[in-house]
Amino acid sequence: MSNQVTASYRAQEQVYDAYSQGGDKAAHAAAWLQPGTINHWRFERIYKLVDPLLAQAPGANWLTVGDGRYGLDAQYLIAHGAQALPTDISDMLLSEAKKAGLIDEYRKENAESLSFADESFDYVFCKESYHHFPQPMKALYEMLRVARQAVIMIEPNDQTIVQGGVAVLSRMLKDTVKRALGRPIDYHGFEISGNYAYSISRREMEKVALGAGMHVVAFSAINDYYLPGVEFEPSDPGNPLFRKIAGKIRRYDSLCRLGISQPGLLAVVLFKQAPTPGLRASLSRQGFNLVDLPRNPYLNADAVK
């Protein structure tokens, strides 16, 4: 294991220390739990992407990965009829959430080496955490291993992969302007914890599914925008910060519809078991694009799960 990976694990374990009770950012963390804030509105918009799965499989058993903010992902799932176990490499805020009665249980887990047996959960959900993992592909294969039905991820969309003539021309123009201004063109980034900041793409997720012998994936996308203060300000139409956030999101949505920009977040459902016709229809209504992947011609049907 490299020094970078080890250092990243250690930093991620300590990431919520300052947010715990008595910490410098405790008030900031407490605001994550407050309904009616801009931050709550932002998260609810994103969570709704999993509603078709929740509706089609009430009472299903979910695992949330990288859910160290009081198990907020698991709390949403539970509130909508699922069973859910939140996990994170840091259990600082998860333990506080349990003491406060917000969750019944939790587990401290390294996403890249989950302790659960194969197919222990119906669904595994990872929201905006995958890009923090030092070795994210290991985490993805672990999530696939412990899931029975599907793995759902909502993560930053790789902005270097553009599709369509307008988007390609837009990217070329932006890069040309940067060169003319002497600005660096750099599509890579590192986080303070020491890990490389990963992003995902449709093509990459299709290849993962094909390599694992899966036959159906579903994709959707959503834009989001963050500014300091969203944790405390109300999501009131009359609030200036809310209007600014909502306006930015509408602008990005318009640019995406015109093919000028790529969506900020990509949602992917990697199906280990084929979705039912009802779930397909529900996902389509929610804006998902379902992709039926080609079968491996060198394996007979009985050899593929």
Side-chain angles (χ1 to χ4, degrees):
M1 186 181 297
S2 71
N3 291 336
Q4 177 173 309
V5 171
T6 302
S8 180
Y9 287 157
R10 188 161 47 246
Q12 295 287 357
E13 280 189 284
Q14 301 169 355
V15 71
Y16 292 123
D17 289 3
Y19 294 88
S20 62
Q21 292 181 4
D24 294 341
K25 298 182 179 180
H28 189 102
W32 293 336
L33 298 170
Q34 297 303 312
T37 64
I38 301 173
N39 210 48
H40 184 265
W41 173 81
R42 290 173 58 236
F43 283 3
E44 288 283 311
R45 292 180 64 248
I46 298 170
Y47 284 139
K48 288 184 183 301
L49 289 169
V50 303
D51 283 359
L53 295 160
L54 291 166
Q56 289 290 316
N61 189 19
W62 291 63
L63 176 75
T64 58
V65 176
D67 196 10
R69 291 189 175 192
Y70 300 111
L72 289 174
D73 302 348
Q75 288 188 48
Y76 181 87
L77 299 173
I78 294 167
H80 289 76
Q83 302 176 60
L85 176 66
T87 68
D88 196 87
I89 197 170
S90 167
D91 63 354
M92 181 67 70
L93 298 184
L94 288 173
S95 64
E96 292 185 7
K98 183 177 180 180
K99 291 176 183 176
L102 300 174
I103 54 175
D104 291 332
E105 56 181 335
Y106 67 88
R107 288 279 288 273
K108 181 175 182 178
E109 294 279 339
N110 184 330
E112 297 173 10
S113 181
L114 296 173
S115 66
F116 308 105
D118 295 358
E119 300 189 340
S120 295
F121 302 89
D122 294 312
Y123 297 100
V124 179
F125 182 37
C126 181
K127 172 188 169 293
E128 297 181 274
S129 293
Y130 182 82
H131 64 284
H132 296 308
F133 303 151
Q135 301 173 110
M137 197 58 72
K138 289 181 67 175
L140 177 52
Y141 284 118
E142 279 290 273
M143 288 188 274
L144 288 168
R145 179 182 66 79
V146 304
R148 281 188 292 269
Q149 297 293 331
V151 169
I152 303 96
M153 295 202 303
I154 304 174
E155 291 293 326
N157 188 24
D158 191 337
Q159 297 297 307
T160 67
I161 300 177
V162 295
Q163 296 179 334
V166 175
V168 171
L169 290 173
S170 176
R171 170 54 53 81
M172 292 174 63
L173 177 60
K174 290 176 183 177
D175 289 351
T176 299
V177 170
K178 286 181 179 179
R179 290 191 188 96
L181 296 175
R183 296 177 181 174
I185 300 174
D186 185 4
Y187 296 110
H188 295 291
F190 293 89
E191 298 186 316
I192 193 170
S193 57
N195 60 284
Y196 175 74
Y198 280 78
S199 53
I200 64 174
S201 69
R202 287 179 58 125
R203 176 63 174 162
E204 181 183 16
M205 293 296 105
E206 287 180 357
K207 290 190 290 183
V208 168
L210 285 164
M214 292 180 283
H215 307 311
V216 183
V217 292
F219 295 103
S220 187
I222 192 169
N223 285 304
D224 187 30
Y225 195 76
Y226 174 83
L227 284 173
V230 297
E231 297 84 0
F232 305 99
E233 294 285 333
S235 55
D236 187 311
N239 182 287
L241 183 58
F242 179 72
R243 289 202 305 270
K244 187 171 185 178
I245 295 289
K248 287 283 189 181
I249 292 173
R250 286 195 298 270
R251 176 175 175 270
Y252 287 137
D253 288 346
S254 296
L255 292 174
C256 290
R257 284 193 294 270
L258 293 171
I260 296 173
S261 294
Q262 305 293 310
L265 293 172
L266 180 66
V268 57
V269 185
L270 297 152
F271 285 101
K272 292 183 68 176
Q273 302 293 335
T276 64
L279 179 54
R280 280 177 170 267
S282 183
L283 285 167
S284 294
R285 288 193 296 271
Q286 187 77 2
F288 277 86
N289 169 229
L290 283 93
V291 180
D292 292 295
L293 299 170
R295 302 276 174 147
N296 187 334
Y298 301 103
L299 294 175
N300 61 50
D302 294 335
V304 180
K305 186 174 181 180

